[in-house]
Structure formats: C-alpha cells, structure tokens
Amino acid sequence: MIRFIWAVLAMTLLALPAHAGFDETINAATAPIASAIGAFVFFKIQVFGAQLPLVVLWLVIGAVFFTFYMGFVNVRGFKHAIQLVRGDYADPDSPGEVSHFQALATAVSGTVGIGNIGGVAVAVTIGGAGATFWLIVAGFLGMSTKFVECTLGVKYRQENPDGSVSGGPMYYMKKGFEERGMSGFGKFMGTFYAIGIFVGALGIGNMFQSNQAYVQLNTVAGGALDGMGWLVGLILAAVVFAVIIGGIKSIARVTEKIVPFMAVFYCFFAIVVILMNFTSIPAAIGNIFAGAFTGAGVQGGAIGALIIGFQRAVFSNEAGIGSASIAHAAVRTPEPVTEGYVSLLEPFIDTIVICTITALVIGTSQVADPNFAGDATGVAMTSAAFERQIGWFPLPLAFGALLFAFSTMISWSYYGLKGWTYLFGEGQMGQTIYKLMFCAFVALGCMVQLGPILDISDALVFLICVPNILGLYFLAPIVKREMTNYLARLDSGEIKKYTH
Amino acid sequence: MSNSVLLAIDGSPGGERALSYAMERAKLGGAKLIVAYVIEWSQYSFNTPEENAERHKRREQEISRATDTIVQPAADKLNAAGIDCETIVTHGPPAETIIRLAEKHGVAQIVIGRRGQSGIKALLFGSVAGNLIQTSPVPVVVVP
C-alpha cells in the first residue's frame, strides 16, 4: 500500500516540471492573497523613519512583560535550568522516560536552522553591527516567553488513549480558557492556532528549508545542479518520507545525533575564525555597541538596528510562536514548570550563542576587510567570512546547513501533524494523508520558486503568535503560581536533588 | 552481612549461564536472589519529536516485554527450585544501574554473565562486565 502511494506521489511530482510555467500559474493565482495576508500580518508602522512590523512589537512587548512578571526568570532560573538538563533532579527510580535533555535537544534542533547561518548575515547587512546587540537583548527577553509557553505546554497536554501525548498552544488554550470559564473563546483560539501551525509547517518548516538546502547543495556543486531541483527535491522528499511514514527512525536518529554535533562544530570553528581575526575583535565589538545606540549608516538609525535585531531574534528562536511547546510537551514530569526552566535555554543557545557567534564572524571579517564578501548576502556571506580564514570550510558548512534544514523539516512535520490531528482527530488515515502532503511540499520546495506561497506560510506562522501571546497573558498567572509553589518546595528541600 | 545476591541477566546465553550458576550457589547457601534486567537507555540520547511523544508507551512495552520473555521465566525457574527471589526491570546505563541496584538492596555479591564481545566493539564501548569489575563496591562474579 505504502509503496503504491509512494509510486503515485513520485509520478505526480515527476510530471510537474513538464508543465512549463507551473510555478508562474500558481504564483499569479496566489500573489494577491499573499500580499494581502502579508500586508496584514507584517503591517508596518513608521518609527523615526524606520519600519516596524507590528507583529515584532507584539512579540517583544510580550517578552518584556513576561520577563518582569516572572521576576527575571531568564536570569534567576538559568542555573536551575542547567541542573535540570544535567538530570540532577531526575528520580533514578523511574528512568526511561523522555528526559529534560532530550526534550531540549529535540526542540533546539527544530529552531537551529538556516536562519542561524544566513539570516544573521542578512540582519547585519541591513541593520548594521548594532543589530547584533538588539538580537542578544531580544534573545534574552524571549527566554521568558519560552518559559511561560513550555510550562503551559506540559501542564495542559493531552494524554491519548494509546499512551502517547499531544500538546502545544492549541491544547493549553482550549483547556486553559475552559478552566477560566471561557471555553468558546479557547476553542476558537485553539482552532485558529492549529490551522496556522499546520499551514506554516508546510512553508517555513518545509518548503523554505528544502529550497535552501537545494540552493546550498547547488552552490557547493558549483552550479552543476542547475535545473535539477526536481531530482534533489525527490531525494529529499524520499528521505523525509522514509522517516515520517516509513518509520525508518534510524535516519532521523542519525541526523538528530549529527545536528548537535554540527552545531558544536560550527561554533567551534566560528570561534577559531573570530580568534584568527583577533586584531579586529575590539573594533567589531565597538561597532556593535556604537551601532546599537547611534545606528550609524543604517536606515532608521538606532531604531532601525533595533528593529532588525529584534526581528531576526524572534524569527530565529520562535519564542512566542508556541511551536517549541509542542516538542516540550512530551516530557512526563509531575512538575510542568521544570520544562519551562529547561526551555529557556533554547533562545539562549539559538540566539545568544549561535546567532551572536555568526554575527561576530561576519563583524570581525568586515573590520579586517570591508569588502570580504563582495555582493554575497545570506549563507554565502557567512560562508565567505569563514573562507577568508579557513579555505575548506564552505564544504562542511554546506553539509551542516543541509542537515540543519533536514532536522528542522522533521521537527516541523511533527508540529504540523499536531495541528492537523487537533483539527481532524488522531485517525491513522488522516495522519498518513498529512504526511504525504508534507513530503510533496518538500519536493515542491526545491522544484519551484513559489514566493507567494512561502509568504503566506511565513505570515501564518507569525499570525499565530497573536492568539498565542494573548493566551499567554491570560494564562501567565497559572504559570506564576506553579513557579512560586515549585520554588518554595525546592527551597524547603521537598523536591530532592539526587546525587548521581 | 546481607545474604542476597544481585543477578543481572540480559537474555543472552551468558545470562543463562549466570542464572544457572547463581541458582546453584543460592541452593547451597540459602541466599536470596534479586534478578535484574537493565534496558539500555541514556537520558542523553537524541530523539525525534514523534519518538518523544510515544516514549511513555514504548517504555511500558519495553518493560513488559523484558518481564514476560526474560525475567519472569528466570524467576519461575528459581521459584520452582525453591529459591527466594525478587525481580527488577529498569532502564538506564547498564553498569551504573546495576551498581545502583546493588547498593540500594545491600547485596553481598553481583553475578553477571559474560557476553564475550571482543575486538573493536569492546574497545569502543567497553563491556558491562568490565565496567562493573572496575567500579563495583561489592565482589563481582563474571560467569564465562
């Protein structure tokens, strides 16, 4: 049966490139919708000559509020988060469940992607070095949002009859609002969120990733893959198919193992490059601070740098989007708040560590040679900064980008699936239909340049942060109560630390 | 001094031999046997989101499978021979978990079968028996 479905899928996809102008047709049909949705979601206001998308403001205000409301949990909870990940509080008598470390690793591999390498380059090109400062600030504030959403993800998850769990914003909104006697509103918000994450999963977590993976491969191959997008797409789709439908978990397990390794590998060599540019370090750091407050040479000045930095951070760590709470919900812990603590490490790793390191690689290279990258932007710019010092690095970098893209696709296929099952139930048939659709979009992402469709999905992913953050405001008192209660028991020694 | 013995089995022929050995010793000395099966698991492994969501279900399946096919048959054999025994099935890194169980139950001795792995695999991953010998707080009998 599965082989049959696969054959049909393959034939359909193979037939696609034959239709000349296939993508143009779709583009033409969807462009008006995309620009309408995009204009609505990314509605920009003018602030001192800079354009500020309201959605970024919405996310940042949320993050500032949660940082104060939770009493700077992003600073005060940091040490405890590390202890939890190390397993210091894991009961040795009930091992074998998903550990805090595993939940964190899974969620991080969903957020660390092409954006950490290429997106940062775009941000510092447009927003100048000063954007880095605001990127770090936003990453730091985002930690508090993650804390709130992931605590709720675990607290209000659903235990399915087969023993598996489903969780995420759609569940905490439905159940949380029900508890507050607003069940109709909660259901509406949950459904809204589920539709958004499901559609978003096909774009930002799928087509965008596979498209970038293809572009990367083609760059490394020196353009030998021009016009071969359909082939790369089919191969990628086949691998994703093998993992999410064929149940060949070993492929995913291998990438899940390699991704953290690649992230460490990337950071290590990035630090090496920064150190090799050591004479430029003071100037690069000076530029970051100077740019952050004066915005020299940036459109919109300091505010422009701030907006670009904030935007890059929220796009990268997804704090406020709610996606990570779906991944964190799998942890079985009697204390939902512990998962909140662990999740605050996510924006830290993603934004404060990885994005900042990328920014410094580019920043120090720029100081040494302002024209080091020529006209290149995005991943190519980061790649050029590495190449200045380590000639062979572009190859492993491309390989890493491919793996990051792949693991992001696997994570997002799951997020989208949870949106789907929330809407249509846990039936196997429906799940298979969704997964097939997901694979088809993986292939499509490499074949065609469907800008408008990507724009729609991008917009939807950010649209869902509206109900999500709104829900978080309503439910934050519950999280605060849980946190206060947990900390009291931690202080009194009721929650034991196990020495291993 | 405690008169109980921790017998760690893994469903392999080596484990069977360890069971026979421990059974003979227990008959002679009237010791209580604690039969343990450790399902290899690390909290630092990497999973896909779907695996995480299904982990609880899998964990219970792993425990019941190990209990039904390996531990319970061993316990039945011991009971039939009139030996007092207790069974444990748990997840964890094998050597560390066996030591933790030995300390928790205050056993006098650990009995384990040799898996007989050699060469590169043993060099890379070490062997459970080898690790136990190096770190155990009580005497370890490795049955060949």
Side-chain angles (χ1 to χ4, degrees), chain A residues 86-87 92-93 95-99 101-102 105-106 162 164-165 249 252-253 256 260 330 332 411 414 435, chain B residues 41-60 62 90-92 100 104:
Chain A
R86 270 203 319 234
D93 286 330
E97 293 284 3
V98 178
S99 66
F101 175 87
Q102 286 166 327
T106 307
D162 69 354
S164 64
V165 291
K249 300 273 164 57
R253 220 171 281 141
E256 298 297 304
R332 253 166 216 269
S411 293
Y414 179 77
K435 288 173 177 174
Chain B
W41 179 83
S42 161
Q43 62 160 337
Y44 296 116
S45 59
F46 297 98
N47 297 330
T48 63
E50 205 164 357
E51 282 179 307
N52 282 348
E54 289 173 356
R55 180 63 212 157
H56 184 68
K57 185 169 72 173
R58 294 264 174 277
R59 174 184 185 264
E60 287 177 350
E62 285 163 6
T90 188
H91 287 81
R100 192 172 58 76
K104 191 175 157 197

Side-chain angles (χ1 to χ4, degrees), chain A residues 443-469:
Chain A
L444 267 179
C446 298
M447 283 177 204
V448 289
Q449 296 295 341
L450 295 175
I453 288 203
L454 271 181
D455 290 345
I456 293 177
S457 122
D458 248 21
L460 274 172
V461 165
F462 283 91
L463 190 59
I464 56 180
C465 78
V466 176
N468 187 46
I469 298 263

Side-chain angles (χ1 to χ4, degrees), chain A residues 193-210:
Chain A
Y193 187 89
I195 295 171
I197 191 100
F198 155 60
V199 179
L202 296 178
I204 199 172
N206 181 332
M207 292 172 73
F208 172 71
Q209 303 291 333
S210 70

Side-chain angles (χ1 to χ4, degrees), chain B residues 84-112:
Chain B
D84 185 15
C85 76
E86 188 183 320
T87 63
I88 297 167
V89 175
T90 188
H91 287 81
E96 279 171 47
T97 309
I98 291 169
I99 287 171
R100 192 172 58 76
L101 292 173
E103 282 169 346
K104 191 175 157 197
H105 294 267
V107 300
Q109 195 183 56
I110 297 172
V111 176
I112 188 173

Side-chain angles (χ1 to χ4, degrees), chain A residues 196-256:
Chain A
I197 191 100
F198 155 60
V199 179
L202 296 178
I204 199 172
N206 181 332
M207 292 172 73
F208 172 71
Q209 303 291 333
S210 70
N211 187 283
Q212 290 298 305
Y214 163 60
V215 171
Q216 267 299 294
L217 276 178
N218 198 17
T219 311
V220 171
L225 294 171
D226 277 342
M228 306 272 269
W230 60 275
L231 181 66
V232 176
L234 279 184
I235 294 171
L236 264 180
V239 181
V240 172
F241 179 90
V243 174
I244 68 174
I245 302 182
I248 307 180
K249 300 273 164 57
S250 48
I251 300 175
R253 220 171 281 141
V254 169
T255 47
E256 298 297 304

Side-chain angles (χ1 to χ4, degrees), chain A residues 66 69-70 147-148 151-153 155-156 172-173 175-181 336-337 471-486:
Chain A
F66 296 126
Y69 187 70
M70 294 295 158
F147 173 82
V148 177
T151 303
L152 290 169
K155 186 171 167 65
Y156 291 108
Y172 61 67
M173 286 195 272
K175 294 189 196 170
F177 280 107
E178 206 172 76
E179 278 184 10
R180 314 202 115 202
V337 78
L472 296 184
Y473 283 132
F474 274 94
L475 303 173
I478 298 172
V479 178
K480 188 163 190 177
R481 212 177 311 138
E482 292 254 343
M483 182 179 80
T484 316
N485 178 291
Y486 174 80

